[in-house]
């Protein structure tokens, strides 16, 4: 069976777990087309953030070579909400399929994921296996999500010299097309990179709780991950610098950016912090220039 | 304690009436202006939605004018409105303003109750028993005023399209709003309201059947004329009667969950949008789509969709509306609003939109 998942979704830990679990029940040929600029004219080319537009394009491009396009409707992961765009993503993809390639109309699977516990994740998997393979599986056969070693417990308070922490949505941190090649550029300049992926989400969530009060919890999962990581990198284990990658017009990051800049200004010891906003640029000179200036600051400290 | 509140359509009349009737000192923020927007823009960033920028500007102008307690309507996930107060507080704190904050919960749950308890603990000490005793009556006065204001808004939105001189509608409307705002008793409010309605109805009409448009979109953008650049007035001057379901009182009734009729209507609208959205995307997204479908069925000539640039739910609604427009054969004009210097562009788009609606009505087809 050939299943396609847009590559931009794969950096989400839930998606990696789902893929691994599905592979245990059936031989699957996975397809994740590399992100690229599709020539097809989509309905979703308005003012959405570019990772979202990219997800829609990749999804459409996958269709001719797969049996099922799997785009779960990610409402809630790890007890926290995803941004509204993830709720709408399957619908926007369906709309584009109907408009551009109606012959593939039946290929989309948009199972809803609204999970707060691993039991609920398991229930999603059981339903999905039933939908895709017409198989019944028991929760006992499901392997739990891999837990990252609790690195917060590490006694280290610094990273190796020349380590830069990157903050941002997982798809921005791991997709070179979406992050304008920042990770590649940093590596080529001799810097190591650390990201929130190296820290268990529950630890980041606990750190993010500092800013919550009553009903005013920062309710998006990605916000909590970014905020928690900022606290971690500024208070627990300090890198040489922090770069916050943002996709232009991301509503979640627009607010988080204000909070992080405010927190950074109050730090007793300054860690160079840069916000880098990217869009669908075809060249990378602008990021290279900013990066060079930023690294000059770090090297000068 | 000197309270203040943001501008949102005619909501200020409601808040002001409550403060005045209960004897609580208040500062009304200066009318939202270019300065208000520029203050908001300066202290945020390019991807923050326009309502947050405007509300922040309102608060800074009110604090500069002497207010010390901010009253803000709260909301919940998944859209950004639920985090406006958290973000605005961070900015105001960083700017060094001293203020207290009171959130009027958008959803009445246990957490909201705890937050309200914490926020009002100190404020209650500054209120006299007389202030508290006057409160139910003050809410009644505020509610009646708001309902009359909204009635005038509705009337003006349809009358402009048929008036010989739409300018006279604006003048009568402004006079009516001022009279309602100034009224001190329920009797005075009703008298001012009735007089304003009579004045509006007395304005001469052209006799031409106007085009009929439904305005849908994000709540704040639909209701606040300084944000939507007076879209209702601009359409009215172009001979288009406008209608909308979004009024401040509607949202209070929805939030309180007491009005069964409104809740039933909302559920029906969610079902109407189901062919396009299989899940509630959040805020007004599904309703923008549903109201457009309903407008097509109810014989409207077109739909105007307004939302702030970068609004996550409404961006998705705009995508879907492109399809809804062709499938339901109704012209839809979407405006992603941000800076204010786009009034002339809006006028040009409205002119073209009116031409399209007229052609469709007259059965003219393009080859």
């Amino acid at each position: 069976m050939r299943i396609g998942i847009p590559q931009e979704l794969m950096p989400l830990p839930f998606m990696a777990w789902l893929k691994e679990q599905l592979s245990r029940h059936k031989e699957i040929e996975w397809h994740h087309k590399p992100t690229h600029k599709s020539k097809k004219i989509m309905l979703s080319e308005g003012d959405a953030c570019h990772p979202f537009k990219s997800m829609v394009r990749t999804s459409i491009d996958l269709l001719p070579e797969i049996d099922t396009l799997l785009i779960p409707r990610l409402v809630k992961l790890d007890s926290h909400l995803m941004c509204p765009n993830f709720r709408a993503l399957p619908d926007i993809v369906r709309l584009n399929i109907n408009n551009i390639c109606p012959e593939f109309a039946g290929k989309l699977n948009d199972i809803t994921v609204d999970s707060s516990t691993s039991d609920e994740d398991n229930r999603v998997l059981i339903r999905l296996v039933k939908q895709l393979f017409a198989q019944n599986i028991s929760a006992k056969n499901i392997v739990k999500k891999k837990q990252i070693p609790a690195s917060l417990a590490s006694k280290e308070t610094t990273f190796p010299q020349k380590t830069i922490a990157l903050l941002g949505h997982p798809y921005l941190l791991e997709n070179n097309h979406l992050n304008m090649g920042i990770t590649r550029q940093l590596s080529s300049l001799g810097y190591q990179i650390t990201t929130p992926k190296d820290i268990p989400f529950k630890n980041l969530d606990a750190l993010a709780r500092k800013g919550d009060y009553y009903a005013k919890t920062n309710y998006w999962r990605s916000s909590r991950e970014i905020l928690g990581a900022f606290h971690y990198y500024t208070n627990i284990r300090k890198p040489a610098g922090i770069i916050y990658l943002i996709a232009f017009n991301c509503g979640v990051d627009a607010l988080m950016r204000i909070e992080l800049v405010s927190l950074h200004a109050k730090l007793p010891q300054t860690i160079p912090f840069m916000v880098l906003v990217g869009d669908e640029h075809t060249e990378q000179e602008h990021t290279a220039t900013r990066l060079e200036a930023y690294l000059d600051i770090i090297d000068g400290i | 304690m000197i309270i203040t509140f943001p501008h949102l359509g005619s909501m200020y009349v409601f808040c002001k009436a409550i403060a005045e009737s209960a004897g609580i000192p208040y500062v009304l923020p200066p009318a939202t202006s270019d300065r208000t927007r520029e203050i908001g823009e300066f202290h945020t960033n390019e991807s923050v939605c326009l309502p947050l920028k405007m509300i922040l500007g309102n608060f800074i102008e009110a604090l500069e004018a002497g207010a010390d307690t901010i009253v803000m309507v709260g909301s919940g996930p998944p859209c950004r409105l639920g985090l406006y107060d958290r973000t605005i507080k961070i900015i105001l704190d960083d700017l060094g303003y001293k203020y207290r904050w009171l959130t009027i919960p958008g959803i009445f749950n246990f957490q909201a109750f705890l937050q309200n308890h914490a926020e009002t603990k100190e404020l209650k000490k500054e209120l006299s028993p007389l202030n508290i005793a006057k409160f139910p009556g003050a809410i009644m006065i505020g509610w009646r005023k708001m309902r009359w204001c909204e009635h005038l808004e509705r009337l003006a939105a349809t009358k402009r399209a048929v008036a010989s001189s739409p300018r006279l509608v604006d003048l009568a409307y402004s006079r009516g709003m001022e009279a309602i705002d100034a009224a001190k008793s329920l009797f005075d409010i009703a008298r001012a309201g009735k007089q304003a309605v009579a004045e509006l109805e007395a304005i001469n009409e052209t006799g031409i059947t106007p085009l009929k448009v439904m305005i849908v979109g994000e709540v704040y953008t639909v209701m606040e004329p300084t944000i939507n650049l007076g879209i209702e007035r601009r359409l009215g001057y172009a001979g288009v009667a406008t209608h909308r379901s979004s009024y401040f009182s509607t949202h209070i009734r929805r939030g309180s969950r007491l009005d069964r009729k409104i809740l039933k209507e909302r559920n029906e609208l969610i079902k109407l949008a189901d062919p396009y959205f299989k899940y509630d995307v959040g805020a007004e997204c599904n309703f923008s789509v549903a109201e457009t479908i309903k407008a097509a069925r109810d014989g409207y000539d077109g739909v105007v969709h307004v939302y702030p640039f970068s609004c996550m739910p409404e961006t998705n609604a705009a995508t879907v509306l492109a399809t809804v427009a062709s499938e339901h054969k109704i012209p839809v004009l979407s405006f992603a609003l941000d800076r204010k210097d786009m009034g002339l562009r809006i006028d040009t788009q409205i002119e073209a939109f009116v031409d399209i609606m007229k052609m469709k009505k007259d059965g003219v087809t393009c080859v």
Side-chain angles (χ1 to χ4, degrees):
Chain A
M1 184 175 208
R2 297 169 303 166
I3 299 181
I5 300 177
Q7 194 176 48
E8 296 83 353
L9 286 178
M10 290 317 296
L12 299 172
F14 174 82
M15 294 303 294
W17 173 80
L18 199 63
K19 181 179 167 182
E20 187 191 323
Q21 291 300 311
L22 288 173
S23 298
R24 293 180 72 239
H25 297 282
K26 184 115 181 169
E27 197 166 310
I28 298 169
E29 189 184 310
W30 291 100
H31 290 250
H32 315 287
K33 248 195 166 50
T35 308
H36 67 282
K37 182 100 184 155
S38 171
K39 284 177 186 156
K40 293 187 181 80
I41 297 168
M42 307 286 171
L43 286 166
S44 41
E45 299 297 291
D47 49 336
C49 61
H50 78 277
F52 181 79
K53 289 188 255 188
S54 187
M55 283 174 206
V56 178
R57 289 177 203 144
T58 311
S59 305
I60 300 297
D61 285 348
L62 278 168
L63 284 163
E65 58 196 53
I66 53 163
D67 303 312
T68 298
L69 178 64
L70 180 57
I71 306 182
R73 193 183 302 279
L74 302 174
V75 177
K76 199 192 264 182
L77 292 177
D78 301 316
S79 306
H80 297 288
L81 293 170
M82 300 295 284
C83 99
N85 284 348
F86 281 100
R87 295 181 177 204
L89 179 63
D91 297 320
I92 301 297
V93 170
R94 182 180 295 108
L95 206 63
N96 278 290
I97 295 174
N98 294 343
N99 197 47
I100 299 168
C101 42
E103 66 274 22
F104 300 130
K107 287 191 176 186
L108 178 65
N109 182 301
D110 62 347
I111 190 162
T112 299
V113 183
D114 188 352
S115 66
S116 302
T117 63
S118 56
D119 284 349
E120 282 163 339
D121 287 351
N122 291 350
R123 276 196 283 275
V124 170
L125 179 67
I126 291 167
R127 270 194 294 139
L128 196 56
V129 168
K130 199 167 186 177
Q131 284 175 16
L132 294 176
F133 317 137
Q135 271 181 33
N136 288 317
I137 57 163
S138 144
K140 285 178 197 164
N141 298 336
I142 298 170
V143 177
K144 282 186 180 173
K145 265 191 229 169
K146 280 181 192 160
Q147 295 296 318
I148 304 162
S151 53
L152 284 185
S154 162
K155 286 178 184 164
E156 293 282 341
T157 56
T158 54
F159 285 96
Q161 215 184 358
K162 286 199 150 193
T163 300
I164 301 291
L166 289 184
L167 302 182
H169 294 275
Y171 41 82
L172 276 184
L173 300 181
E174 292 189 33
N175 187 311
N176 263 315
H177 174 80
L178 297 179
N179 68 28
M180 303 156 291
I182 287 288
T183 48
R184 226 170 17 212
Q185 290 180 54
L186 279 168
S187 301
S188 68
L189 291 164
Y191 282 83
Q192 286 184 45
I193 293 162
T194 179
T195 69
K197 199 184 172 187
D198 305 330
I199 311 163
F201 176 73
K202 64 177 181 184
N203 296 29
L204 297 176
D205 189 29
L207 287 167
R209 225 166 280 150
K210 281 182 191 176
D212 293 342
Y213 57 98
Y214 301 116
K216 290 298 120 185
T217 54
N218 209 326
Y219 36 71
W220 296 303
R221 188 194 181 278
S222 55
S223 288
R224 303 193 73 78
E225 191 174 36
I226 292 164
L227 182 58
F230 185 85
H231 284 305
Y232 177 74
Y233 294 132
T234 52
N235 295 311
I236 298 174
R237 199 172 176 202
K238 294 172 186 168
I242 304 170
I243 299 176
Y244 183 14
L245 296 177
I246 293 179
F248 174 67
N249 236 2
C250 170
V252 173
D253 285 339
L255 300 191
M256 191 39 55
R257 178 178 168 185
I258 292 171
E259 193 155 344
L260 295 197
V261 168
S262 169
L263 285 170
H264 181 255
K266 294 183 188 101
L267 288 176
Q269 280 181 312
T270 306
I271 296 176
F273 175 57
M274 176 168 72
V275 176
L276 205 50
V277 183
D279 203 350
E280 295 187 271
H281 307 292
T282 50
E283 305 298 335
Q284 293 174 357
E285 278 72 14
H286 65 298
T287 52
T289 310
R290 282 167 177 80
L291 209 54
E292 280 168 16
Y294 177 73
L295 296 176
D296 283 348
I297 293 169
I298 287 177
D299 291 339
I301 289 174
Chain B
M1 174 171 57
I2 304 173
I3 65 163
T4 190
F5 31 82
H7 280 290
L8 172 54
S10 54
M11 185 190 83
Y12 76 92
V13 178
F14 174 66
C15 298
K16 193 178 151 194
I18 293 175
E20 272 176 1
S21 307
I24 301 167
Y26 69 91
V27 165
L28 182 65
T32 302
S33 62
D34 284 356
R35 181 177 183 266
T36 316
R37 176 180 51 78
E38 278 164 14
I39 291 171
E41 281 176 354
F42 186 76
H43 296 296
T44 56
N45 58 64
E46 73 285 345
S47 296
V48 166
C49 48
L50 190 58
L52 189 147
K53 293 173 185 168
M54 292 294 202
I55 292 171
L56 174 65
N58 282 157
F59 287 155
I60 289 178
E61 288 186 318
L63 291 172
E64 284 169 354
D68 61 15
T69 304
I70 290 169
V71 182
M72 171 74 183
V73 180
S75 181
C79 115
R80 285 182 281 186
L81 182 59
L83 291 173
Y84 273 19
D85 47 2
R86 178 171 168 141
T87 307
I88 290 174
K89 276 180 182 180
I90 289 169
I91 297 167
L92 293 179
D93 289 344
D94 286 352
L95 290 171
Y97 287 105
K98 300 285 174 230
Y99 62 94
R100 274 98 47 101
W101 191 283
L102 175 63
T103 305
I104 308 293
I107 300 160
F108 299 96
N109 56 20
F110 187 61
Q111 273 191 320
F113 171 78
L114 288 177
Q115 184 176 335
N116 186 264
H117 178 70
E119 287 175 346
T120 54
K121 209 161 28 179
E122 287 303 311
L123 294 176
K124 274 178 192 164
K125 291 177 190 166
E126 294 175 37
L127 293 175
S128 68
L130 188 63
N131 291 137
I132 294 167
K134 282 180 175 175
F135 220 73
I139 289 178
M140 174 77 87
I141 297 255
W143 183 256
R144 292 303 306 161
K145 280 192 178 188
M146 188 173 55
R147 297 288 282 165
W148 269 109
C149 288
E150 290 176 354
H151 183 55
L152 287 194
E153 277 182 73
R154 280 192 191 92
L155 205 56
T158 51
K159 186 76 181 184
R160 271 187 208 103
V162 293
S164 304
S165 171
R167 177 95 184 115
L168 293 178
V169 177
D170 286 344
L171 291 173
Y173 169 72
S174 299
R175 274 197 302 272
M177 291 289 274
E178 280 168 23
I180 292 168
D181 188 22
K184 300 287 178 207
S185 66
L186 290 174
F187 178 75
D188 287 347
I189 296 165
R191 192 171 56 184
K194 282 175 188 167
Q195 193 178 334
V197 169
E199 266 189 56
L200 279 170
E201 283 174 348
I203 294 168
N204 288 337
E205 296 186 3
T206 55
I208 300 168
T209 309
L211 292 165
K212 209 166 68 161
V213 155
M214 175 65 80
I215 298 182
V216 302
E218 187 272 336
V219 171
Y220 198 91
T221 323
V222 170
M223 287 198 282
E224 175 55 44
T226 53
I227 288 210
N228 65 35
L229 307 177
I231 194 94
E232 283 189 343
R233 191 174 50 81
R234 287 172 194 271
L235 283 162
Y237 275 56
V240 180
T242 60
H243 301 262
R244 60 178 153 106
S245 68
S246 213
Y247 287 91
F248 190 57
S249 64
T250 330
H251 293 285
I252 290 179
R253 284 187 289 160
R254 278 178 200 164
S256 67
R257 306 188 70 79
L258 294 173
D259 193 328
R260 292 276 154 214
K261 193 179 158 221
I262 281 196
L263 294 177
K264 198 177 158 213
E265 277 172 14
R266 297 283 279 184
N267 286 335
E268 282 166 6
L269 286 173
I270 282 275
K271 280 181 201 153
L272 211 51
D274 190 63
Y276 302 95
F277 285 121
K278 305 283 179 203
Y279 199 91
D280 185 2
V281 177
E284 296 297 299
C285 175
N286 296 45
F287 301 105
S288 294
V289 171
E291 286 187 342
T292 301
I293 297 168
K294 194 167 181 296
R297 289 181 184 174
D298 293 347
Y300 279 78
D301 297 298
V303 169
V304 171
H305 176 224
V306 287
Y307 63 101
F309 176 67
S310 88
C311 173
M312 295 181 285
E314 292 299 331
T315 299
N316 287 299
T319 301
V320 168
L321 285 179
T323 300
V324 172
S326 59
E327 286 181 2
H328 291 264
K329 304 203 181 333
I330 183 164
V332 175
L333 178 62
S334 281
F335 285 114
L337 297 158
D338 196 15
R339 286 191 65 95
K340 204 188 170 187
D341 48 9
M342 56 186 283
L344 290 175
R345 177 167 81 77
I346 288 181
D347 282 340
T348 312
Q349 283 182 272
I350 285 175
E351 277 175 30
F353 186 58
V354 167
D355 285 346
I356 290 167
M357 288 191 292
K358 276 183 183 164
M359 285 165 74
K360 183 173 173 282
K361 202 170 188 177
D362 296 342
V364 180
T365 49
C366 298
V367 180

